[in-house]
Amino acid sequence: MGKLELYIPVGRERLRCGYTTGTCAAAAAAGAAALLLEGVALPAVHIDTPAGVRVEAELLKHAAGEGWAACAVRKDGGDDPDVTDGALICARVERSTGPGIAIDGGEGVGRVTRPGLDQPVGEAAINSTPRRMIHEQLEAAAARAGYAGGLRAVISVPTGEALAGRTFNPRLGIEGGISILGTSGIVRPMSEAALLDSLYLEMDQQRAAGARDIVVTPGNYGEAFAREKLGLSLARWCTCSNYIGAAIDHAAGAGFRSVLLVGHLGKLIKVSAGCMNTHSKVADARRETLAAHAALAGGDRALVKALFDSPTTDAGVELLRGAGLLEPVMDSIAGELDAQLKRRAGPELAIEGIFFSNQYGILGKTPGAEGLLALHRA
């Protein structure tokens, strides 16, 4: 199979995109279903990804037996440093006696053991978007074949358990393998130097166009929240990925008057602890910071321990809400976020922050955030 020939400019580089594990799983399921229901061993399938990009995936290792068929896709991570690059993502599809479509994980696919993740405890770590993509491929195959019965797909990754040791899955409470992930279906590569070049260029262009006040978000979640929930125009906006400290430094040097930072709690809680590069390989102080602020707010030992063991900040928010401490803990974090941002920005750059969760909306603001919000209302 030819590699995915989709490139994106990142700073001064052109980096090649790849497939997510979710796209690979959906493609493998499509091939297995075609072999099972139509008796056709397809050499490749086309998948329409949520990003709107149609990709072709070569199908490998065709196999079939009474009432089942299987095949695999080799993961192509593009120019992204992805531990799953080259791994075989396999799907076995079988007829089932019950109606509908069931999706599960097999060898090398992790299983959720703690609450607060995309899937409930006990389920395979196959996230919502890949599940939907797999479901759509099986539905389409059944429709083409005129098959009205049930189907069951099991996704497996033969090397998944070994690969999982190089990820954060064990820390998150996902045991036995990797996760099948991807919200867009496409892996967009990350190069630190290229991303920083892109960030600086974007900020410089805004400044050259006359912007003195700018909104900065780490990524898609912050952008969507700023636009849809805060009602900001984002005419003066850039995304900084994990490089929050670098963005603040460049904004100050470029002569901006103010920065409004909008991000998910999971990102900005790290910044409140002084972590200005929020990549998990560099810093992951989320649970420690959340537990410390809960203790400062009067949380008992059991709550602090539960927060320390939480796989995500969203799960921690649920615990704090149940204990009646959500507001004081978020206020405490906002205070530290304010101090860290202002320390990094210095006296010449006004800077404020807003952090949120997708379920509960705004969780905290630094004291002057409302003033900067008014500058960017649509």
Side-chain angles (χ1 to χ4, degrees), residues 134-171:
I134 295 165
H135 194 280
E136 288 170 353
Q137 293 302 318
L138 297 185
E139 272 192 330
R144 287 194 305 271
Y147 175 71
L151 292 172
R152 180 174 183 264
V154 177
I155 308 301
S156 60
V157 183
T159 59
E161 189 166 5
L163 291 173
R166 297 162 59 191
T167 74
F168 269 76
N169 272 14
R171 173 90 168 263

Side-chain angles (χ1 to χ4, degrees), residues 13-377:
E13 300 181 44
R14 288 179 73 246
L15 299 182
R16 191 174 65 82
C17 298
Y19 307 116
T20 62
T21 49
T23 293
C24 295
L35 182 56
L36 172 66
L37 301 178
E38 303 173 72
V40 179
L42 297 173
V45 292
H46 290 90
I47 300 290
D48 293 316
T49 65
V53 178
R54 193 168 211 230
V55 302
E56 182 182 59
E58 182 183 7
L59 299 175
L60 308 169
K61 294 186 174 294
H62 296 82
E66 183 63 34
W68 66 272
C71 63
V73 169
R74 192 169 298 281
K75 173 74 158 56
D76 171 19
D79 287 332
D80 194 63
D82 184 349
V83 301
T84 62
D85 186 42
L88 280 176
I89 312 297
C90 309
R92 174 186 167 113
V93 177
E94 57 192 42
R95 292 186 176 92
S96 59
T97 54
I101 292 171
I103 299 168
D104 202 357
E107 177 192 7
V109 172
R111 200 155 290 273
V112 177
T113 66
R114 297 182 193 169
L117 299 175
D118 181 88
Q119 294 297 305
V121 171
E123 288 293 322
I126 304 173
N127 278 13
S128 301
T129 299
R131 284 179 183 270
R132 185 176 71 249
M133 294 172 69
I134 295 165
H135 194 280
E136 288 170 353
Q137 293 302 318
L138 297 185
E139 272 192 330
R144 287 194 305 271
Y147 175 71
L151 292 172
R152 180 174 183 264
V154 177
I155 308 301
S156 60
V157 183
T159 59
E161 189 166 5
L163 291 173
R166 297 162 59 191
T167 74
F168 269 76
N169 272 14
R171 173 90 168 263
L172 295 174
I174 298 173
E175 297 181 357
I178 65 167
S179 300
I180 304 299
L181 301 171
T183 57
S184 69
I186 299 295
V187 174
R188 297 187 176 274
M190 295 178 67
S191 155
E192 181 166 336
L195 281 170
L196 286 172
D197 282 345
S198 182
L199 166 63
Y200 297 155
L201 177 62
E202 193 174 6
M203 296 181 83
D204 289 345
Q205 287 175 329
Q206 289 280 2
R207 189 69 188 93
R212 298 195 64 201
D213 307 286
I214 193 168
V215 176
V216 174
T217 66
N220 294 334
Y221 286 159
E223 177 195 356
F225 190 84
R227 190 189 307 276
E228 297 167 13
K229 304 299 183 182
L230 298 179
L232 306 188
S233 70
L234 300 191
R236 295 163 292 169
W237 160 79
C238 73
T239 180
C240 67
S241 185
N242 293 298
Y243 307 107
I244 292 172
I248 295 170
D249 294 345
H250 196 77
F256 282 93
R257 179 172 55 192
S258 72
V259 169
L260 177 61
L261 178 65
V262 180
H264 189 276
L265 172 64
K267 285 285 185 188
L268 298 200
I269 195 172
K270 297 183 186 183
V271 181
S272 78
C275 303
M276 293 293 170
N277 181 334
T278 59
H279 197 292
S280 59
K281 292 181 180 178
V282 176
D284 190 18
R286 292 171 298 173
R287 61 178 189 164
E288 295 88 348
T289 307
L290 198 59
H293 282 281
L296 290 170
D300 61 21
R301 181 182 178 86
L303 175 63
V304 171
K305 179 65 165 62
L307 289 167
F308 192 79
D309 291 338
S310 294
T312 65
T313 51
D314 284 338
V317 166
E318 285 289 334
L319 290 168
L320 290 168
R321 185 167 171 265
L325 288 176
L326 182 58
E327 185 173 344
V329 170
M330 294 301 113
D331 287 347
S332 181
I333 292 169
E336 284 303 304
L337 177 64
D338 186 53
Q340 295 290 348
L341 291 177
K342 288 177 170 54
R343 184 178 297 118
R344 186 64 177 246
E348 302 301 320
L349 178 68
I351 187 164
E352 304 292 341
I354 297 173
F355 53 92
F356 65 90
S357 81
N358 292 327
Q359 183 172 358
Y360 295 110
I362 293 175
L363 293 173
K365 303 177 190 175
T366 57
E370 283 294 334
L372 293 190
L373 274 173
L375 298 176
H376 298 281
R377 295 289 187 194

